[in-house]
Amino acid sequence: MYISHAQPHFDVIATSEPTSDTVEVSPSKSFDDDDNLIMHPAKQRSCRSWRFGQCFKSTRYKGLKMAQLLCAVYILLMTFRYYPNGLIDPSAPLGQWRIVDVWNSENTSAGVIQLEGDPFGPKRAVVAKDRISLMCLAISRISAFTMYPCIFLVFMTKCKATINFLMTTPFSLYMVHDQHELHSFCGKFLAIDVWVHTLFHCLRWGLQGNIDLLWTNIAGITGLVALLACVMVCLPMMVQKLMRLMSYEVRKLLHITFFYIFAVALCFHNKTSAWPNGGYNQVILGFCIVYYTLDAAYVMFFMTEMIETTIFNVLPSGVQMTLAVSDHFQKAYAQGGYGYVCLPWVSKNQWHAFSLFEHPSNPNLRQVFMLNVGNWTKEVHAQLQRNTVRPAWIQGPFVSPYNNALAFDNTICVATGIGITPALSVIRAHRDSRRINLIWACRDVASK
């Protein structure tokens, strides 16, 4: 759709083409030739598919890629300089570089070095006696240091309270609006990078006859634990067959639990005594673990509330919830956003994300619509045989990418089925000041 006007206006185009009704919290965005904002269902995002290479080659996330490039250059400079500024044997002539323990030849034979000849210092498994080993070491160290920006962002993009605060500051001008898409991108990079890092370390150790370092050296042991944990983090979220076999709650529990294991293992992968030639794991990973935990605790204790008189309206296609949220909830986020809902009379351990939209006649009320498609929503629908009032817990509200519509005077929202709910807040908030067009595709217009 092409629109050249900038006057306040609202159009609705509904189609009845066969589509899959999906609840989309975070839409992707694109722009036409006149820089009008177009919001699509998140299902269309290229970064969420396995076209990872195309996404990485694109111009997106320039800041992240620049940070990774700087990390790679830094570790190459710190590695390939003569000792003590680097790791290269100072007695080795140019063209015959090697990394050995200049103080103890026995350590070199075992594949490790101890800096400054300290017999009680950490044994670093970085020996490289020839060009192939040096190349393998370079690749493994580059892959390790390019993980740092991604690991930091994987944690920070899920610090929901922090993101909410930052979006109210000028720092938001430089933030990615779709934090989950960035989280997914960084996660996929880590999933690949961990294997590259492990492969080239093992290849170097094998060529030098030190493969036993994989289970005798602390770097090898913690690296193996981190690798296995990374597999458990990624597979349930990336492999479609596993996603169909496992419930969302199980996949989420595995995802969070094993990422904690992954991060803790990396904290012990090397020690701060290696600084500045490494040794950043404990600082970076330690900070991320503590900060993410504190942010999650803040959300749980200060952004979660129980609505005792939640109104449930039962419809053939789902359930509509109406919540009289507190003033604190309203002030935290005046329009739209999304929240996590827990219904203890269905399950005390399940929190599900839903788009929030304002009641048409009472802006102080928030509404959620649950389409009767998933196991949990089907259970909710089954337990509610009629319109009723029951308690519900709501966590949020959190920033939605739809709020980026504020920056444009001409917006096109594209939604399928129940995916219209986040668009409703955009329409209500900006219908008097901006031109908004909604393209809504659903199976049956009459049922909507």
Side-chain angles (χ1 to χ4, degrees):
M1 177 180 291
Y2 173 78
I3 302 170
S4 59
H5 307 285
Q7 62 188 22
H9 187 75
F10 173 57
D11 295 330
V12 177
I13 301 175
T15 71
S16 57
E17 294 295 327
T19 62
S20 58
D21 288 345
T22 56
V23 179
E24 301 294 354
V25 172
S26 305
S28 64
K29 302 172 284 295
S30 62
F31 304 88
D32 63 15
D33 293 336
D34 281 349
D35 205 30
N36 300 313
L37 177 65
I38 305 174
M39 294 184 166
H40 306 274
K43 182 181 291 186
Q44 298 176 4
R45 301 178 193 154
S46 61
C47 284
R48 287 198 178 181
S49 69
W50 271 108
R51 289 179 289 175
F52 177 77
Q54 296 178 13
C55 185
F56 192 80
K57 293 177 182 177
S58 71
T59 57
R60 306 189 67 187
Y61 309 135
K62 292 180 181 178
L64 168 61
K65 295 170 187 176
M66 181 58 67
Q68 290 179 305
L69 179 61
L70 292 176
C71 288
V73 171
Y74 170 82
I75 195 56
L76 284 177
L77 291 176
M78 296 305 298
T79 301
F80 295 102
R81 292 197 297 173
Y82 286 112
Y83 183 85
N85 297 318
L87 297 178
I88 298 297
D89 181 1
S91 65
L94 186 65
Q96 298 181 18
W97 281 357
R98 64 189 178 191
I99 298 175
V100 296
D101 191 322
V102 298
W103 306 92
N104 190 331
S105 60
E106 292 183 1
N107 279 344
T108 300
S109 300
V112 298
I113 65 172
Q114 289 177 293
L115 298 179
E116 304 293 340
D118 182 5
F120 303 103
K123 295 183 177 181
R124 307 188 63 191
V126 294
V127 169
K129 303 175 184 178
D130 51 46
R131 291 183 179 180
I132 295 178
S133 297
L134 286 170
M135 182 181 68
C136 291
L137 180 63
I139 295 174
S140 59
R141 301 205 89 190
I142 289 173
S143 63
F145 270 69
T146 52
M147 286 185 199
Y148 285 142
C150 286
I151 290 175
F152 179 80
L153 289 175
V154 160
F155 274 104
M156 293 300 110
T157 51
K158 291 303 175 182
C159 291
K160 296 188 283 288
T162 301
I163 292 172
N164 266 23
F165 169 73
L166 292 178
M167 291 301 291
T168 64
T169 69
F171 191 74
S172 63
L173 297 172
Y174 309 97
M175 290 177 62
V176 175
H177 286 272
D178 194 336
Q179 297 292 323
H180 185 74
E181 184 173 320
L182 177 58
H183 177 87
S184 178
F185 176 84
C186 292
K188 289 174 182 177
F189 182 89
L190 289 176
I192 297 172
D193 212 29
V194 166
W195 281 98
V196 173
H197 180 76
T198 304
L199 175 64
F200 280 93
H201 266 318
C202 290
L203 180 60
R204 177 172 57 86
W205 293 339
L207 290 173
Q208 297 180 154
N210 303 124
I211 194 63
D212 60 304
L213 290 172
L214 188 61
W215 57 83
T216 59
N217 185 271
I218 186 64
I221 296 171
T222 55
L224 188 59
V225 172
L227 176 66
L228 296 176
C230 186
V231 171
M232 296 301 297
V233 168
C234 299
L235 288 184
M237 293 295 182
M238 293 181 177
V239 180
Q240 292 295 325
K241 290 184 178 179
L242 291 177
M243 293 176 67
R244 288 192 293 267
L245 290 174
M246 296 181 181
S247 66
Y248 169 75
E249 292 73 32
V250 172
R251 292 190 291 113
K252 183 178 180 180
L253 179 62
L254 290 174
H255 192 70
I256 296 175
T257 302
F258 279 97
F259 195 79
Y260 264 109
I261 296 174
F262 171 82
V264 171
L266 289 185
C267 284
F268 296 94
H269 194 56
N270 54 43
K271 296 184 178 181
T272 53
S273 57
W275 189 88
N277 204 306
Y280 296 96
N281 284 24
Q282 293 180 352
V283 176
I284 296 175
L285 273 297
F287 170 81
C288 290
I289 292 171
V290 172
Y291 193 91
Y292 171 78
T293 303
L294 291 175
D295 186 274
Y298 181 88
V299 171
M300 179 61 68
F301 293 110
F302 298 101
M303 297 183 68
T304 306
E305 58 186 61
M306 184 179 72
I307 312 299
E308 297 181 356
T309 56
T310 303
I311 301 173
F312 292 86
N313 294 316
V314 182
L315 304 172
S317 58
V319 175
Q320 179 177 284
M321 296 172 54
T322 303
L323 306 97
V325 294
S326 65
D327 291 339
H328 175 75
F329 191 99
Q330 296 175 40
K331 292 178 181 178
Y333 210 65
Q335 301 286 345
Y338 70 97
Y340 287 85
V341 174
C342 174
L343 304 179
W345 37 273
V346 176
S347 174
K348 297 179 181 179
N349 301 316
Q350 296 188 33
W351 295 77
H352 293 265
F354 291 95
S355 298
L356 301 170
F357 56 100
E358 297 72 35
H359 191 281
S361 60
N362 187 350
N364 296 326
L365 299 177
R366 296 294 184 271
Q367 291 188 308
V368 167
F369 189 82
M370 303 177 181
L371 194 66
N372 187 19
V373 292
N375 295 333
W376 186 78
T377 51
K378 287 181 179 178
E379 180 64 22
V380 174
H381 195 268
Q383 292 202 29
L384 297 173
Q385 300 298 322
R386 56 181 175 79
N387 296 346
T388 186
V389 175
R390 293 192 184 185
W393 286 87
I394 180 74
Q395 190 177 90
F398 303 114
V399 176
S400 166
Y402 268 94
N403 287 76
N404 196 34
L406 180 67
F408 301 88
D409 59 6
N410 194 0
T411 301
I412 302 174
C413 298
V414 184
T416 63
I418 194 59
I420 191 177
T421 51
L424 295 176
S425 293
V426 175
I427 294 168
R428 183 183 182 280
H430 307 300
R431 62 188 175 187
D432 295 330
S433 59
R434 290 165 174 79
R435 183 182 182 95
I436 303 176
N437 294 268
L438 171 66
I439 300 176
W440 183 26
C442 52
R443 287 192 179 94
D444 183 2
V445 177
S447 65
K448 306 299 180 183

CSV table of all heavy atoms in Angstrom, one decimal, residues 219-239:
chain,number,residue,atom,x,y,z
A,219,ALA,N,40.5,-25.2,31.4
A,219,ALA,CA,40.0,-24.5,30.2
A,219,ALA,C,39.2,-25.5,29.3
A,219,ALA,O,38.2,-25.3,28.8
A,219,ALA,CB,41.1,-23.8,29.4
A,220,GLY,N,39.8,-26.7,29.2
A,220,GLY,CA,39.2,-27.8,28.4
A,220,GLY,C,37.9,-28.3,29.1
A,220,GLY,O,36.9,-28.5,28.4
A,221,ILE,N,37.9,-28.5,30.4
A,221,ILE,CA,36.8,-29.0,31.1
A,221,ILE,C,35.6,-28.0,31.1
A,221,ILE,O,34.5,-28.4,30.7
A,221,ILE,CB,37.1,-29.4,32.6
A,221,ILE,CG1,38.2,-30.5,32.6
A,221,ILE,CG2,35.9,-29.8,33.4
A,221,ILE,CD1,38.8,-30.7,34.0
A,222,THR,N,35.9,-26.8,31.4
A,222,THR,CA,34.8,-25.8,31.5
A,222,THR,C,34.3,-25.5,30.0
A,222,THR,O,33.1,-25.2,29.8
A,222,THR,CB,35.3,-24.5,32.1
A,222,THR,OG1,36.5,-24.0,31.4
A,222,THR,CG2,35.6,-24.7,33.6
A,223,GLY,N,35.2,-25.6,29.1
A,223,GLY,CA,34.8,-25.4,27.7
A,223,GLY,C,33.9,-26.4,27.2
A,223,GLY,O,32.9,-26.2,26.5
A,224,LEU,N,34.2,-27.7,27.6
A,224,LEU,CA,33.3,-28.8,27.2
A,224,LEU,C,31.9,-28.7,27.9
A,224,LEU,O,30.9,-28.9,27.3
A,224,LEU,CB,33.9,-30.1,27.7
A,224,LEU,CG,33.3,-31.4,27.2
A,224,LEU,CD1,33.2,-31.4,25.7
A,224,LEU,CD2,34.0,-32.6,27.7
A,225,VAL,N,31.9,-28.3,29.2
A,225,VAL,CA,30.6,-28.0,29.9
A,225,VAL,C,29.8,-26.9,29.2
A,225,VAL,O,28.6,-27.1,28.9
A,225,VAL,CB,30.9,-27.7,31.4
A,225,VAL,CG1,29.6,-27.2,32.0
A,225,VAL,CG2,31.5,-28.9,32.1
A,226,ALA,N,30.5,-25.8,28.8
A,226,ALA,CA,29.8,-24.7,28.2
A,226,ALA,C,29.3,-25.1,26.8
A,226,ALA,O,28.2,-24.7,26.4
A,226,ALA,CB,30.8,-23.5,28.0
A,227,LEU,N,30.1,-26.0,26.1
A,227,LEU,CA,29.6,-26.4,24.8
A,227,LEU,C,28.3,-27.3,24.9
A,227,LEU,O,27.4,-27.0,24.1
A,227,LEU,CB,30.7,-27.2,24.1
A,227,LEU,CG,30.4,-27.9,22.7
A,227,LEU,CD1,30.1,-26.8,21.7
A,227,LEU,CD2,31.5,-28.8,22.3
A,228,LEU,N,28.3,-28.2,25.8
A,228,LEU,CA,27.1,-29.1,26.0
A,228,LEU,C,25.9,-28.2,26.5
A,228,LEU,O,24.8,-28.4,26.0
A,228,LEU,CB,27.4,-30.2,27.0
A,228,LEU,CG,28.5,-31.2,26.5
A,228,LEU,CD1,28.8,-32.2,27.6
A,228,LEU,CD2,28.1,-31.9,25.3
A,229,ALA,N,26.2,-27.3,27.3
A,229,ALA,CA,25.1,-26.4,27.8
A,229,ALA,C,24.6,-25.6,26.7
A,229,ALA,O,23.3,-25.3,26.6
A,229,ALA,CB,25.6,-25.5,28.9
A,230,CYS,N,25.4,-25.1,25.8
A,230,CYS,CA,25.0,-24.3,24.7
A,230,CYS,C,24.1,-25.1,23.7
A,230,CYS,O,23.1,-24.5,23.2
A,230,CYS,CB,26.2,-23.7,23.9
A,230,CYS,SG,25.8,-22.6,22.6
A,231,VAL,N,24.4,-26.3,23.6
A,231,VAL,CA,23.6,-27.2,22.7
A,231,VAL,C,22.2,-27.3,23.3
A,231,VAL,O,21.2,-27.2,22.6
A,231,VAL,CB,24.2,-28.6,22.6
A,231,VAL,CG1,23.2,-29.6,22.0
A,231,VAL,CG2,25.5,-28.5,21.8
A,232,MET,N,22.1,-27.5,24.7
A,232,MET,CA,20.8,-27.6,25.3
A,232,MET,C,20.0,-26.2,25.3
A,232,MET,O,18.8,-26.2,25.4
A,232,MET,CB,21.0,-28.0,26.8
A,232,MET,CG,21.6,-29.4,26.9
A,232,MET,SD,20.5,-30.7,26.0
A,232,MET,CE,19.0,-30.6,27.0
A,233,VAL,N,20.8,-25.1,25.3
A,233,VAL,CA,20.1,-23.8,25.2
A,233,VAL,C,19.5,-23.6,23.8
A,233,VAL,O,18.4,-23.1,23.7
A,233,VAL,CB,21.2,-22.7,25.5
A,233,VAL,CG1,20.6,-21.3,25.1
A,233,VAL,CG2,21.6,-22.7,26.9
A,234,CYS,N,20.2,-24.0,22.8
A,234,CYS,CA,19.8,-23.6,21.4
A,234,CYS,C,18.9,-24.6,20.7
A,234,CYS,O,17.9,-24.2,20.1
A,234,CYS,CB,21.1,-23.5,20.5
A,234,CYS,SG,22.2,-22.2,21.1
A,235,LEU,N,19.1,-25.9,20.9
A,235,LEU,CA,18.3,-26.8,20.1
A,235,LEU,C,16.8,-26.7,20.4
A,235,LEU,O,16.0,-26.7,19.4
A,235,LEU,CB,18.8,-28.3,20.4
A,235,LEU,CG,20.2,-28.6,19.8
A,235,LEU,CD1,20.5,-30.1,20.0
A,235,LEU,CD2,20.2,-28.4,18.3
A,236,PRO,N,16.4,-26.7,21.6
A,236,PRO,CA,14.9,-26.6,21.8
A,236,PRO,C,14.3,-25.4,21.3
A,236,PRO,O,13.1,-25.3,21.1
A,236,PRO,CB,14.8,-26.6,23.4
A,236,PRO,CG,16.1,-27.2,23.8
A,236,PRO,CD,17.1,-26.8,22.9
A,237,MET,N,15.1,-24.3,21.0
A,237,MET,CA,14.5,-23.1,20.5
A,237,MET,C,14.7,-22.9,19.0
A,237,MET,O,14.2,-22.0,18.4
A,237,MET,CB,15.2,-21.9,21.2
A,237,MET,CG,14.8,-21.8,22.6
A,237,MET,SD,13.1,-21.4,22.9
A,237,MET,CE,13.0,-21.3,24.6
A,238,MET,N,15.5,-23.8,18.3
A,238,MET,CA,15.8,-23.7,16.9
A,238,MET,C,15.3,-24.8,16.1
A,238,MET,O,15.1,-24.6,14.9
A,238,MET,CB,17.3,-23.5,16.8
A,238,MET,CG,17.9,-22.2,17.3
A,238,MET,SD,19.7,-22.1,17.1
A,238,MET,CE,20.0,-20.4,17.8
A,239,VAL,N,15.3,-26.0,16.6
A,239,VAL,CA,14.9,-27.2,15.8
A,239,VAL,C,13.4,-27.4,15.9
A,239,VAL,O,12.8,-27.6,17.0
A,239,VAL,CB,15.6,-28.5,16.4
A,239,VAL,CG1,15.2,-29.7,15.6
A,239,VAL,CG2,17.1,-28.3,16.3
